[in-house]
Amino acid sequence: MLSQISPLLHGQRRKNGNDNDRETTERMRATTAWFALAFGFSIHLFSSFVPLVSAQTNAVSLPSAAADELSKVSSTYIVELASSASDSPESKKKKRSATPHQDFYDELRRRDVMFTKRSEWNLDDLFVGVELVINTVTDLEAILNIDSVVAIRPVNLLYNPPLVSDQPLSGLSDPNVPADLQATHVMTGVDKVHAQGNFGQGVTIGIIDTGIDYLNPSLGGGFGPGFLVKGGYDFVGDAYNGTNTPVPDADPMDNCNGHGTHVAGIIAAQPGNIFNITGVAYKASINAYRVLGCSATGVVKDPVVVDALLKAYEDGNDVITLSLGMGSGWATSTTGVVASRIAAKGRVVTASLGNDGAAGAWYATSPASGNRVIAVGSVE
């Protein structure tokens, strides 16, 4: 079994220069961190409303060890490569190709390693790597001994916790409407921030989720420049279920799931809706990154999430939030590593910690367990 060499797969062969901190603007970081904390807690505290959102209760997941094994995708790995920015003058002289990927593939063939190439990443200051299918322990060990290889990590499945109950509201007369619709703003201190005239102005938030129903009038009623949801991308398409091939397109519409719309409503629901609720940062701008299809399983492979994280970073989002995770507690998954590096660059990254307290007091999910990532858990 390839899992027999799991200690190898998490070992760092060298320190990556990309992990060095870059000076950041502390004022922007403090402002965006406050809103990230506030809407992060609100995501789990808020009693949600259709058409913005649907209230939900999430099932307890498997304990960590079992979840770790079940979340791994068989024979599929992400190989991180040293970036050209970290090359020494001597190593640059040895390069034969314009990209670190091609030199790596040439070396694999020279060593008779059998592989199938999938996704590639080449963002020098953050993450350089490739997704490969590798079928033998011998080939994995050969890859780990290549000079340009920083680490080998298993490809994992990330989950959006399953919907257990759904309570749509028919209107203000619905008996399930809470008496206090803004209670979570008081619990998280959002009311005090709003009282200071701070509603998220000048902040851009990237939501990595199921997309957003941007046609909802409480979420701006449109998509593109001039609208609340100003941009984004669909990385997967409607039919994606975590096991098939994604079919991406430029439209991140949430037309079948609702979770991403739920998150967007908590963050930026516009004033004047029939429930008289407002989002935490309703004057912010939003980019929507869809990584889940219409499947009820709510599963995505982490290469897709890596694509979304890197895109959100390149698009200049001040805050990046995702309600996804894998059963683990380690920050060494690829999504955990990438999220940590984005946070180290001065961006605010928030991720759901999971709803799995029954699995143990110290149980957590990745990438919420990443360094400097703001991990948000649910309370009742």
Side-chain angles (χ1 to χ4, degrees), residues 81 99 122-123 138 152 293 329:
L81 303 174
T99 70
N122 193 18
L123 193 56
T138 300
I152 306 173

Side-chain angles (χ1 to χ4, degrees), residues 143-217:
I143 292 171
L144 194 64
N145 288 320
I146 296 175
D147 285 343
S148 62
V149 171
V150 174
I152 306 173
R153 305 180 182 98
V155 166
N156 297 292
L157 297 173
L158 283 77
Y159 297 86
N160 188 264
L163 185 66
V164 175
S165 65
D166 190 8
Q167 182 59 65
L169 299 178
S170 58
L172 288 174
S173 61
D174 193 306
N176 292 298
V177 175
D180 185 354
L181 299 176
Q182 296 283 50
T184 53
H185 281 11
V186 177
M187 292 173 70
T188 57
V190 171
D191 59 328
K192 294 180 175 62
V193 178
H194 283 182
Q196 297 172 2
N198 196 343
F199 304 100
Q201 303 94 312
V203 174
T204 301
I205 300 166
I207 301 174
I208 298 174
D209 211 290
T210 65
I212 295 173
D213 179 6
Y214 49 73
L215 294 179
N216 188 307

Side-chain angles (χ1 to χ4, degrees), residues 87-99:
D87 285 342
S88 65
E90 292 75 18
S91 63
K92 287 180 179 178
K93 291 177 183 178
K94 296 178 182 178
K95 285 189 173 294
R96 299 178 295 275
S97 306
T99 70

Side-chain angles (χ1 to χ4, degrees), residues 28-42:
M28 174 62 80
R29 181 170 174 82
T31 300
T32 53
W34 176 265
F35 277 106
L37 278 168
F39 73 67
F41 283 118
S42 295

Side-chain angles (χ1 to χ4, degrees), residues 212-217 219-224 227 229 251-254 261 288:
I212 295 173
D213 179 6
Y214 49 73
L215 294 179
N216 188 307
L219 295 175
F223 176 71
F227 289 99
V229 184
D251 184 1
M253 179 61 156
D254 181 3
T261 303

Side-chain angles (χ1 to χ4, degrees), residues 43 46 48-50 53-61 159-168 209-210 254 256-260 262 292 294-299 323 355:
I43 285 171
F46 207 91
S48 309
F49 306 105
V50 170
V53 289
S54 296
Q56 64 184 49
T57 305
N58 295 316
V60 173
S61 301
Y159 297 86
N160 188 264
L163 185 66
V164 175
S165 65
D166 190 8
Q167 182 59 65
D209 211 290
T210 65
D254 181 3
C256 55
N257 187 299
H259 189 274
H262 154 91
L292 292 164
C294 294
S295 169
T297 58
V299 178
S323 297
N355 302 315

